[in-house]
């Protein structure tokens, strides 16, 4: 395989991209701290910072970040520019968080619930939320970043399959909303939103990790060598559609016995309806019954966690990623649920028990609050620059 070398221009381009990545992560840094984090000298850092300021990508601030010695101030992302309204969208709910030009949250995280049966009705709900937020900031351009449940083509912005939706046809979210609202729109999967949030907003994040979202369905997203892994057909991370029981229930994808049919909250609701025909318990009611010690739900949760752990075990043997973050409402099942998942991973013969703790497989509940999770989708704009 041919691997060309890097000329001076390409080296400078790489270093500038590194500085911008650090700035988006930290928002404000001193020159000395940038030099320390990048491994470059102070003179080299000065040259890169000068170029970035000339290009309008950074601003100098007189604010000092150190109380020791003389300070030349600090550097920050431009405070002016387009804002981003970040949304997590399903056919029944929109959660949203406004972010300024530095992708810092403005105001509280909001939510609306509804019931729609057509793509047009969902697009109308998205547009109405954008208009309502824009009216609060009439002089500010506000772009959209959408995290959508199901399979998404992030290049075209098409929602290819939304499992909870009443419709089956693809929806051109990006094109239709850009035409209607005359703004920029970016679209990706809701698990990518979580991965981006962990990548950019968790200061201790590793370069390789996985997020698992166990909610109405089950999805995942992998970050490998610091980059979101999507695959050529943008279908990577479909852990919920790994088959765990070939003789099991039919899944929305058309196959039988997918993980989602035995371990998601929709599967728990299905089990409840089978036990009591005609009943329509809410997730909250089922969680309350679990906390109260309802025997059949305790058994279901234990079986579901074991199924998740086995599927995750197969993924880990393939990719050998040792940091996993759990998100979604199923996390309310708590430590016992997580421990049942971990017990399946503990059998991994390729994860030696005497290895360094930092290199051992770690499975934890995600620590980012919901507003930060939703802000993650806004970093689609950062990653394309």
């Amino acid at each position: 395989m041919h691997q060309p070398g890097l000329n001076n221009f390409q080296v400078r381009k790489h270093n500038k991209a590194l500085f911008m990545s650090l700035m988006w992560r930290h928002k404000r840094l001193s020159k000395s701290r940038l030099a320390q984090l990048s491994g470059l000298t102070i003179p080299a850092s000065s040259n890169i910072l000068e170029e970035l300021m000339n290009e309008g990508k950074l601003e100098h601030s007189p604010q000092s970040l150190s109380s020791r010695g003389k300070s030349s101030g600090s550097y920050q992302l431009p405070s002016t520019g387009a804002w981003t309204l970040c949304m997590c969208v399903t056919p029944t709910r929109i959660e949203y968080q406004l972010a300024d030009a530095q992708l810092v949250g403005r105001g509280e995280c909001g939510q609306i619930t509804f019931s729609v049966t057509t793509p047009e009705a969902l697009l109308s709900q998205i547009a109405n939320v954008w208009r309502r937020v824009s009216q609060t900031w009439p002089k500010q351009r506000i772009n959209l970043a959408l995290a959508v449940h199901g399979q998404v083509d992030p290049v075209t912005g098409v929602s290819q399959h939304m499992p909870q939706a009443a419709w089956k046809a693809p929806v051109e979210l990006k094109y239709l909303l850009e035409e209607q609202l005359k703004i920029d729109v970016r679209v990706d999967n809701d698990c990518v939103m979580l991965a981006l949030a962990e990548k950019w907003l968790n200061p201790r994040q590793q370069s390789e990790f996985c997020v698992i979202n166990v909610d109405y369905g089950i999805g995942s997203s992998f970050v490998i060598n610091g980059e979101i892994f999507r695959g050529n057909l943008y279908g990577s991370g479909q852990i919920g559609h790994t088959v765990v029981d070939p003789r099991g229930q039919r899944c929305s994808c058309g196959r039988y016995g997918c993980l989602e049919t035995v371990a998601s909250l929709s599967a728990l609701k299905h089990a409840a309806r089978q036990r009591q025909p005609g009943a329509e318990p809410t997730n909250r009611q089922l969680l309350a019954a679990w906390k109260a010690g309802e025997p059949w739900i305790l058994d279901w949760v234990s079986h579901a966690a074991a199924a998740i752990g086995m599927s995750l075990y197969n993924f880990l043997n393939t990719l050998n990623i040792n940091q996993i973050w759990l998100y979604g409402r199923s996390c309310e099942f708590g430590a016992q649920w997580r421990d049942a998942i971990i017990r399946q991973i503990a059998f991994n013969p390729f994860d030696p028990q005497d290895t360094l703790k930092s290199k051992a497989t770690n499975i934890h509940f995600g620590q980012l609050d919901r507003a930060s999770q939703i802000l993650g989708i806004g970093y689609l704009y950062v990653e394309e620059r």
Side-chain angles (χ1 to χ4, degrees):
M1 183 176 67
H2 177 62
Q3 292 184 323
L6 299 177
N7 57 34
N8 289 339
F9 173 79
Q10 291 166 322
V11 170
R12 180 59 62 89
K13 183 179 179 180
H14 169 83
N15 288 337
K16 286 161 66 177
L18 172 60
F19 270 45
M20 289 306 301
S21 175
L22 291 169
M23 292 302 305
W24 279 109
R25 193 178 304 278
H26 297 277
K27 309 304 182 187
R28 184 188 297 272
L29 287 168
S30 65
K31 183 191 300 182
S32 60
R33 184 60 176 153
L34 277 163
Q36 182 183 32
L37 291 171
S38 65
L40 299 176
T41 65
I42 292 292
S45 298
S46 297
N47 292 336
I48 293 171
L49 287 168
E50 183 177 358
E51 284 193 30
L52 290 172
M53 286 193 296
N54 290 338
E55 294 170 5
K57 295 179 179 179
L58 289 182
E59 295 176 346
H60 182 264
S61 168
Q63 179 180 339
S64 174
L65 300 182
S66 175
S67 59
R68 297 183 298 174
K70 285 185 70 175
S71 172
S72 59
S74 56
Y75 297 85
Q76 65 180 30
L77 297 165
S79 55
T80 58
W83 289 14
T84 306
L85 182 57
C86 305
M87 294 187 188
C88 186
V89 179
T90 77
T92 60
R93 183 176 69 233
I94 293 176
E95 298 170 279
Y96 59 94
Q97 174 66 58
L98 181 63
D100 63 20
Q102 298 174 335
L103 279 180
V104 175
R106 289 292 188 108
E108 298 295 323
C109 180
Q111 175 179 301
I112 63 167
T113 57
F114 46 80
S115 178
V116 296
T117 58
T118 65
E120 293 77 17
L122 180 61
L123 286 163
S124 179
Q125 293 287 348
I126 295 170
N128 288 341
V129 172
W130 178 85
R131 289 191 182 98
R132 188 165 63 249
V133 172
S134 295
Q135 286 173 359
T136 307
W137 304 90
K139 297 182 180 180
Q140 183 64 55
R141 178 181 174 85
I142 300 177
N143 294 324
L144 267 177
L146 306 180
V148 181
H149 183 56
Q151 191 170 359
V152 178
D153 184 335
V155 175
T156 61
V158 173
S159 170
Q160 297 173 325
H161 173 62
M162 192 179 293
Q164 299 179 51
W167 57 89
K168 300 301 180 184
V171 183
E172 296 188 11
L173 293 172
K174 174 180 166 65
Y175 171 76
L176 293 172
L177 288 167
E178 286 185 339
E179 286 293 301
Q180 181 180 354
L181 303 177
K182 308 304 179 185
I183 58 171
D184 294 330
V185 178
R186 298 293 180 270
V187 186
D188 215 318
N189 173 264
D190 54 352
C191 290
V192 170
M193 172 190 80
L194 296 174
L196 287 170
E198 281 289 341
K199 173 183 174 179
W200 290 101
L201 299 175
N202 185 343
R204 294 177 296 278
Q205 193 52 266
Q206 302 177 20
S207 63
E208 296 190 345
F209 63 91
C210 170
V211 294
I212 309 290
N213 189 36
V214 189
D215 205 278
Y216 179 88
I218 302 177
S220 61
S221 183
F222 295 86
V223 173
I224 300 175
N225 196 25
E227 301 292 335
I228 301 288
F229 180 76
R230 293 182 174 87
N232 290 335
L233 299 178
Y234 311 112
S236 68
Q238 297 292 337
I239 190 174
H241 297 288
T242 54
V243 176
V244 296
D245 181 7
R247 298 180 181 178
Q249 298 289 331
R250 191 174 191 274
C251 181
S252 62
C253 72
R255 303 187 73 180
Y256 289 84
C258 290
L259 180 63
E260 281 192 4
T261 67
V262 300
S264 65
L265 289 180
S266 59
L268 177 56
K269 282 187 173 183
H270 178 76
R273 287 194 294 268
Q274 283 188 319
R275 291 182 62 85
Q276 188 177 351
E280 288 294 336
T282 65
N283 291 325
R284 188 58 51 199
Q285 290 170 332
L286 291 169
L287 284 166
W290 169 78
K291 290 178 181 177
E294 178 66 36
W296 80 265
I297 297 184
L298 293 176
D299 289 342
W300 184 93
V301 169
S302 177
H303 175 72
I308 293 170
M310 186 58 67
S311 294
L312 192 52
Y313 169 84
N314 293 329
F315 269 69
L316 293 176
N317 275 351
T318 303
L319 295 174
N320 197 27
I321 290 176
N322 69 349
Q323 179 63 65
I324 298 97
W325 296 103
L326 298 172
Y327 280 98
R329 286 174 291 179
S330 289
C331 292
E332 294 184 43
F333 290 128
Q336 289 183 334
W337 175 77
R338 188 197 67 166
D339 291 345
I341 294 174
I342 292 174
R343 281 195 292 273
Q344 298 296 324
I345 309 301
F347 297 129
N348 188 347
F350 306 107
D351 188 5
Q353 299 302 307
D354 61 349
T355 190
L356 292 173
K357 186 176 181 180
S358 62
K359 294 184 178 181
T361 299
N362 294 289
I363 301 178
H364 298 290
F365 293 120
Q367 298 301 303
L368 298 176
D369 62 23
R370 190 56 178 166
S372 298
Q373 294 170 36
I374 296 171
L375 280 175
I377 199 65
Y379 283 88
L380 288 175
Y381 286 100
V382 174
E383 298 228 329
E384 68 181 21
R385 293 177 183 177

